[in-house]
């Protein structure tokens, strides 16, 4: 009876983790679509032609034009800048960093449009070469058989397509989207517009192809500040590893990692999830290592060795890591 309840509990936990990953992917797709359409809907963009900020479909003004035209005093203008410019920006930054302080790079793993491309391109490159990055020294075995060179065109085309789309989208955050897309369709782009799209497409294509992981780890300021806030909080969400059962990892395998080390194989950031917190600086809290660990150990009738811990449990994990290292 006890064994049956344990098996049922493991199956429920496995379904819960699978559902978690589906929801995460849905959030990524939704936010990626929002990133693409936000300029067209004036949800957030700065129009250089009008020197006008748009937020949620409304013109957002600091009152500087009214001051220049003599419609408000210097004191009123200063107060307007503080209330409509500085305070909202500070409030958003504090809210964002508060979430990062407790949960780490949650934005990166669950919403960031760039990271959703990282995961998708990882899959294509793995199918083509057996690796998740050009710079990996060894292949990353996953289900689906040996690498197939026929996937190379799909990988290169995906990098080029998203690099081109990324360049156009960023330009529409600065210039009217209707104008940019209209000029593109009719072949009437201005020289500056054409240069921006051309150079931007090349840069973004190269980044997506060769340096997407490096950018997420070291080049993205949003990710860097999230990690710094998270590392400063001993109670922040961490992936805890049960080292007393480390020997169970020797026969770890799943359909996606037939040769073992399911958690290492699953990590899209090329990290080692069983490592201590300071070695997981770039962790995006996507939970894929936990899902794979759950799947692997469930096949052997065991509970997983990896789990999320936050608050006092995270502090105990951090203290334990310090004692052991």
């Amino acid at each position: 009876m006890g064994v049956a309840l344990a098996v049922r509990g493991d199956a429920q936990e496995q379904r819960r983790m699978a559902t978690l990953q589906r929801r995460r992917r849905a959030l990524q797709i939704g936010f990626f679509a929002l990133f693409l359409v936000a300029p067209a809907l004036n949800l957030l963009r700065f129009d250089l032609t009008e020197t006008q900020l748009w937020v949620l479909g409304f013109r957002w003004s600091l009152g500087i034009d009214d001051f220049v035209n003599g419609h408000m005093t210097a004191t009123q203008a200063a107060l307007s800048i503080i209330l409509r410019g500085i305070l909202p920006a500070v409030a958003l930054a504090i809210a964002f960093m508060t979430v990062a302080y407790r949960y780490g790079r949650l934005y990166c793993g669950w919403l960031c449009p760039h990271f959703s491309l990282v995961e998708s391109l990882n899959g294509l490159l793995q199918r083509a070469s057996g690796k998740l990055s050009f710079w990996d020294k060894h292949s990353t075995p996953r289900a689906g058989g040996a690498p197939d060179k026929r996937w190379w065109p799909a990988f290169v085309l995906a990098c080029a397509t998203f690099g081109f789309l990324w360049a156009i989208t960023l330009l529409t955050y600065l210039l009217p989207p209707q104008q940019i897309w209209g000029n593109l369709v009719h072949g009437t782009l201005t020289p500056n517009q054409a240069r921006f799209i051309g150079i931007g497409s090349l840069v973004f294509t190269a980044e997506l192809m060769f340096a997407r992981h490096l950018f997420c780890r070291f080049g993205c300021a949003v990710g860097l500040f999230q990690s710094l806030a998270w590392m400063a909080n001993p109670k922040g969400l961490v992936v805890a590893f049960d080292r007393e059962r480390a020997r169970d990892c020797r026969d770890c395998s799943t359909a996606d990692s037939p040769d073992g080390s399911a958690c290492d194989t699953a990590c899209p950031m090329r990290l080692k999830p069983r490592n201590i917190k300071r070695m997981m600086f770039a962790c995006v809290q996507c939970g894929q290592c936990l899902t794979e660990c759950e799947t692997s150990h469930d096949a052997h009738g065991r509970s997983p060795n990896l789990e999320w811990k936050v608050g006092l449990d995270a502090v105990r994990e951090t203290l334990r890591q310090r004692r052991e290292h």
Side-chain angles (χ1 to χ4, degrees):
M1 183 66 177
V3 174
L5 290 175
V7 171
R8 186 181 305 171
D10 290 340
Q12 291 176 346
E13 178 65 16
Q14 190 171 351
R15 286 195 296 270
R16 185 185 72 83
M17 293 302 297
T19 300
L20 186 73
Q21 290 301 322
R22 287 195 295 271
R23 290 176 178 174
R24 187 181 71 87
R25 200 59 177 166
L27 283 173
Q28 286 181 313
I29 294 172
F31 199 81
F32 191 91
L34 182 63
F35 167 74
L36 296 179
V37 304
L41 300 178
N42 289 327
L43 296 180
L44 179 65
R45 70 183 184 91
F46 185 80
D47 194 327
L48 292 177
T49 61
E50 299 179 348
T51 60
Q52 175 66 57
L53 177 65
W54 289 84
V55 179
L56 300 178
F58 297 96
R59 295 176 180 269
W60 192 271
S61 173
L62 299 180
I64 297 176
D65 291 339
D66 290 336
F67 172 70
V68 172
N69 295 326
H71 296 155
M72 65 168 54
T73 65
T75 301
Q76 291 174 325
L79 186 61
S80 177
I81 292 173
I82 293 173
L83 294 178
R84 297 177 64 84
I86 298 176
L87 287 183
V90 170
L92 285 174
I94 290 175
F96 185 79
M97 295 306 291
T98 298
V99 174
Y101 183 73
R102 183 168 178 80
Y103 298 108
R105 290 194 180 196
L106 201 65
Y107 166 79
C108 295
W110 289 71
L111 294 176
C112 178
H114 182 272
F115 185 71
S116 64
L117 289 182
V118 168
E119 292 188 81
S120 300
L121 294 174
N122 279 355
L124 289 175
L125 183 59
Q126 197 280 330
R127 289 176 180 272
S129 68
K131 299 180 180 180
L132 302 187
S133 168
F134 281 111
W135 315 117
D136 287 352
K137 295 182 180 180
H138 305 289
S139 62
T140 302
R142 287 188 173 181
D148 189 341
K149 294 182 178 180
R150 289 177 296 180
W151 282 97
W152 276 111
F155 172 72
V156 174
L157 180 61
C159 291
T161 299
F162 284 114
F164 178 65
L165 183 61
W166 210 268
I168 295 176
T169 301
L170 289 186
L171 187 57
T172 60
Y173 274 86
L174 301 174
L175 297 175
Q178 296 83 355
Q179 177 188 13
I180 299 302
W181 283 105
N183 290 352
L184 184 66
V185 171
H186 295 97
T188 56
L189 289 171
T190 67
N192 285 337
Q193 292 171 357
R195 276 192 290 268
F196 184 97
I197 294 175
I199 296 173
S201 297
L202 290 174
V203 171
F204 291 130
T205 298
E207 186 270 335
L208 291 174
M209 189 175 295
F210 300 108
R212 58 189 182 279
H213 300 100
L214 295 176
F215 176 80
C216 285
R217 288 192 185 188
F218 310 113
C220 178
V222 175
L224 176 63
F225 282 108
Q226 287 181 95
S227 289
L228 291 174
W230 177 61
M231 294 297 288
N233 180 19
K235 295 183 180 180
L237 181 69
V238 296
V239 175
F241 174 52
D242 187 353
R243 297 186 183 277
E244 294 181 357
R245 296 176 48 223
R247 66 179 59 187
D248 291 344
C249 295
R250 287 184 293 186
D251 59 355
C252 172
S253 63
T254 66
D256 286 337
S257 58
D259 293 339
S261 301
C263 59
D264 295 349
T265 301
C267 180
M269 288 296 287
R270 319 309 305 124
L271 303 176
K272 305 296 184 183
R274 290 168 289 179
N275 242 327
I276 59 178
K277 181 177 179 178
R278 68 171 179 268
M279 302 298 293
M280 295 290 289
F281 183 82
C283 176
V284 296
Q285 307 293 11
C286 65
Q288 293 191 62
C289 58
L290 280 76
T291 301
E292 290 300 308
C293 184
E294 176 77 32
T295 302
S296 172
H297 287 283
D298 182 66
H300 297 88
R302 299 188 298 252
S303 59
N305 276 10
L306 296 178
E307 61 178 330
W308 268 321
K309 289 188 177 181
V310 69
L312 292 178
D313 289 336
V315 174
R316 296 188 188 98
E317 174 68 13
T318 301
L319 292 175
R320 183 191 61 76
Q321 291 177 356
R322 289 178 181 174
R323 288 196 303 268
E324 296 178 359
H325 294 81

